[in-house]
Structure formats: C-alpha cells, structure tokens
Amino acid sequence: MGRIVVVGAGIIGAAITRELARDGHDVTVVERSAAASGTSGRGEGNILVSDKGPGPELDLARFSRSLWPTVARELREELGESFPAIEFEPKGGLVVSTTAAGAAPLLAFAAAQRSAGVRADVVDAATAKSLEPHLTDATTAAIHYPEDAQIQPVVATEAFLRSARLAGARVLTGHEVIGAVLDSAGALAGVDVRSRDGVTRSFPADAVVNAAGPWGAAVSEVLGAAIPVRPRRGVVLVTTRMPHRVFHKVYDADYVGAVESSSADLQTSSVVESTASGTVLIGSSREQVGFRDEFSTRIVAELARKAILLFPFLSSASLMRSYSGFRPYMPDHVPVIGEDPRLPGLWHANGQEGAGIGLATGTAALLAALIAGRTPPVDAAPFSVSRAGLAPFLAEVAA
C-alpha cells in the first residue's frame, strides 16, 4: 500500500482513483476546479471501438469496453438507487457513407478492424434503414458496430469519485498543483498544492499521477518532466427534447479521418445520437486553437448542415444550446500511460483525446496494475512516455 496523489478529477482521474483506492492505496485527488469541469463535462459520453484502427489504442478500447458493464453494475450496487444512474447504454453504432467515393475506404477500414477482433458488420441500405428508420436514403455503404455504447460522463465521473471515497480516498477540489517535492535522489516524492483560498501545503506521495487532461502539459512542466499534450477544441450542438428518432450512435465515414488527422485546422464530420432525456447531440468538430473558447457561428452552421445530410428530419429541429470543450491531444495519437523514466515517481494517464470516456476503465486498470507491479491487462509498452514515436515531440517541449 502506498500514498498516491492523482492530479485531475475528470473521468480518467476519477476512474484511476477508484481503482487505486480499491487496491488498498492511500489516495488523494487534487483538482484545481470542480470534478468533471473540463473535458469530461464537455463531451458526448462515447464508448467506441468503431473509430479506431488496429493498434494499441484499439486494444485498450476493446479491453475498456469489456469492463464497462461490470463497472456500471458495481457502481449501481455500491451507490444505491438514490445516486443518479450513469446511463450506460450499449446501443451500438452505425457508420455510413453517403458518397460513392466514401464507400470503399469505409469498407476497407471495417475489414481491418474485423481482423483485429472488432464486430464490424456490413449492412445493406435496407438493413441500415431498419436500424435507423429516419436515416437518409443516400447511403452508399454502412457498417453496424454492436459494441459501441454511451454513458452520461458527468454522472459517471461523480460515481467513480463517490465509490473511491467509500474505499477511503480523499477528493480535494479547488486545489492546484504548483510545485514538486523531490527526495535526495531527485525522484518525485510529493506535490505542493495551493487551495482556492491561498493556503499552500505539501502532499507526500510514493506516486503522483498526472491525469489533468489537456492541462496535463502545464502540470507536467511544473513537476519537471513536460509531456506534449495539447488542447484540441470540439463543439457539440444540443437540440430540444423530442421523441426518439435516432437509436444508435450514427456518424459519417469522414469522422475516422478527422480523429486520426494531425492537422490543426478546423475539421468537421457528422455525428448524431440521442440521449436518455430525449435531446439529440450533434457533433463533431476538431481544431487546435490553444485554449481559446469563443463561440463560432461557422462551426455551428457546418455541424448542423452535415447532421441534416444524415438525418433530414433535423432540418426542423430546434437547437437548445451548444457547448465546446478541450480534448487532450497527443501528437502521435497514442495516450501516455505509465511511469515517466525522466522523473521516477511521476506517472501519466493522459492524451486520450476524445476517447477518454470510453478508455477510462481500461486506463485505470492498466495504471493500477503497473503501479502494483502486476502483469498489465494489455501491453503497456506502446503507451510508454519513452516510446520512439513520441521522442521528437518530447524533444520539442524539453527545448
């Protein structure tokens, strides 16, 4: 059993805190704002395997997806009926192409995923319409992904933290990490933290976990081992409530390309899904603009236009609001999970970008196993901060 400080109370930090506390560690979470106040409170709650090609992130996504039903049941049993449901909904996904040019790449991508063990069922236009009766008639190819799911991410984050508290963890909101405590050998032995009312104190730790999402670059720099995580801004539109007419997570074939792109410029694709409350969420956009968060009518118009191409009935829907958030983008498109060899005692769980909700369970299990010295549930090497693909970007932030 060790003393561990987790920095960040988003869904990644919350899931890690729960896992570590249940492992018997003495865990304290420090969060400069409020729980789920960053990326986790600004997303759609996606738990996806459909948007990832073969590789380490897909392996982690499939493992994470396998854990979610058990985690959802455990949280309900631990917290009781009085705690809001996390709304785990294994509703599946449908990816469609609406152009002749888009069909072949979509089918090839699905074939590659099937070779990696993903359920990616090619369906004809009639079957696609049976799955989504209000879908456009302009479908040229469609893939059904039964494993895709959704949760309510803010409630899930709070549920992880409540469960962690029951296991003995402490959650300190309004506390910002401002410095590192080093031992005589130069290893990280704790953090200096300043509370919202200006009180500074030190927290000794055998391990410090950087789970600060897009703010993880600043945290890692303060601690002395910078990582190149960057904020990638995304916008989501929310309609007023309506009878359910979208039954899966539905997106166009351009979405995968936007996820995998390294461009800093604005990219949009159509992503449409309903919530349990009857609203419809419409995305998706990606752009690297730092932490600028101004409202953009251009992005709203582009998202609405593309959503209507998928579901024509949305042309008469009313938008209730839009919101934006920052996703933790890693330039080689692979999360960083594990101990930092440049600063023993510092552990990272960062860079999941828009996949953080779905990857939370697997990330927590992987990190807990590594900290405890157990055999990891998936290969941890591809997520190491010392991997070859990340080296050029580490050199940039260290310069």
Side-chain angles (χ1 to χ4, degrees):
M1 174 173 160
R3 296 171 300 180
I4 301 177
V5 172
V6 177
V7 184
I11 196 166
I12 295 289
I16 289 169
T17 300
R18 176 180 185 261
E19 194 77 18
L20 293 174
R22 285 159 61 96
D23 256 3
H25 296 288
D26 179 7
V27 189
T28 301
V29 186
V30 293
E31 162 61 50
R32 69 174 186 173
S33 185
S37 58
T39 306
S40 301
R42 299 280 177 162
E44 299 161 278
N46 297 329
I47 301 173
L48 304 182
V49 298
S50 58
D51 63 341
K52 300 168 184 66
E57 189 177 28
L58 178 59
D59 295 339
L60 182 60
R62 294 187 65 218
F63 172 63
S64 300
R65 174 61 178 85
S66 74
L67 298 177
W68 269 109
T70 299
V71 168
R73 186 188 69 251
E74 288 176 348
L75 290 172
R76 170 58 63 203
E77 291 172 352
E78 288 175 42
L79 307 183
E81 295 296 328
S82 63
F83 197 93
I86 70 169
E87 298 177 12
F88 174 70
E89 188 178 2
K91 62 184 178 183
L94 185 68
V95 185
V96 302
S97 168
T98 58
T99 65
L106 174 60
L107 294 172
F109 185 76
Q113 289 179 302
R114 284 193 295 275
S115 71
V118 174
R119 283 277 312 272
D121 303 328
V122 179
V123 297
D124 58 23
T127 303
K129 287 285 278 188
S130 71
L131 293 169
E132 291 290 344
H134 299 281
L135 186 67
T136 177
D137 292 327
T139 300
T140 58
I143 312 294
H144 179 222
Y145 289 90
E147 296 169 292
D148 281 356
Q150 183 179 8
I151 59 166
Q152 212 297 336
V154 175
V155 176
T157 302
E158 293 285 6
F160 278 130
L161 292 174
R162 177 66 179 275
S163 173
R165 288 187 184 97
L166 293 176
R170 292 169 296 280
V171 180
L172 301 178
T173 57
H175 285 69
E176 182 176 7
V177 172
I178 59 171
V181 177
L182 304 179
D183 65 16
S184 58
L188 188 62
V191 291
D192 293 324
V193 174
R194 183 172 57 228
S195 68
R196 191 178 288 121
D197 57 8
V199 177
T200 299
R201 58 185 292 200
S202 295
F203 288 83
D206 301 297
V208 176
V209 180
N210 176 11
W215 296 272
V219 170
S220 63
E221 187 173 353
V222 163
L223 296 179
I227 57 172
V229 63
R230 308 169 188 164
R232 203 178 192 191
R233 182 175 184 254
V235 175
V236 176
L237 313 182
V238 186
T239 72
T240 55
R241 293 181 180 181
M242 63 180 75
H244 275 72
R245 284 186 275 184
V246 182
F247 303 100
H248 302 75
K249 179 181 179 67
V250 184
Y251 60 87
D252 66 42
D254 292 339
Y255 179 77
V256 172
V259 170
E260 296 183 342
S261 171
S262 298
S263 173
D265 297 333
L266 175 66
Q267 299 167 78
T268 61
S269 56
S270 187
V271 182
V272 182
E273 60 192 314
S274 294
T275 68
S277 67
T279 62
V280 175
L281 304 181
I282 297 170
S284 132
S285 71
R286 283 173 164 78
E287 58 181 338
Q288 292 184 45
V289 291
F291 285 102
R292 288 167 42 205
D293 197 22
E294 67 270 16
F295 178 78
S296 170
T297 56
R298 179 170 71 104
I299 296 176
V300 171
E302 185 71 3
L303 294 179
R305 182 185 69 81
K306 290 190 173 183
I308 291 168
L309 293 177
L310 273 186
F311 289 98
F313 80 86
L314 288 172
S315 62
S316 61
S318 297
L319 286 181
M320 179 170 61
R321 64 188 179 97
S322 69
Y323 60 88
S324 61
F326 300 102
R327 306 172 180 121
Y329 166 83
M330 198 62 70
D332 68 346
H333 300 285
V334 179
V336 172
I337 305 169
E339 190 172 19
D340 195 320
R342 301 169 300 170
L343 182 60
L346 175 61
W347 296 72
H348 299 289
N350 213 307
Q352 290 85 356
E353 204 192 333
I357 305 298
L359 296 181
T361 50
T363 298
L366 173 57
L367 193 73
L370 292 173
I371 288 176
R374 300 190 297 264
T375 300
V378 296
D379 185 8
F383 305 104
S384 169
V385 73
S386 59
R387 63 183 182 257
L390 199 61
F393 306 106
L394 286 175
E396 288 179 11
V397 297

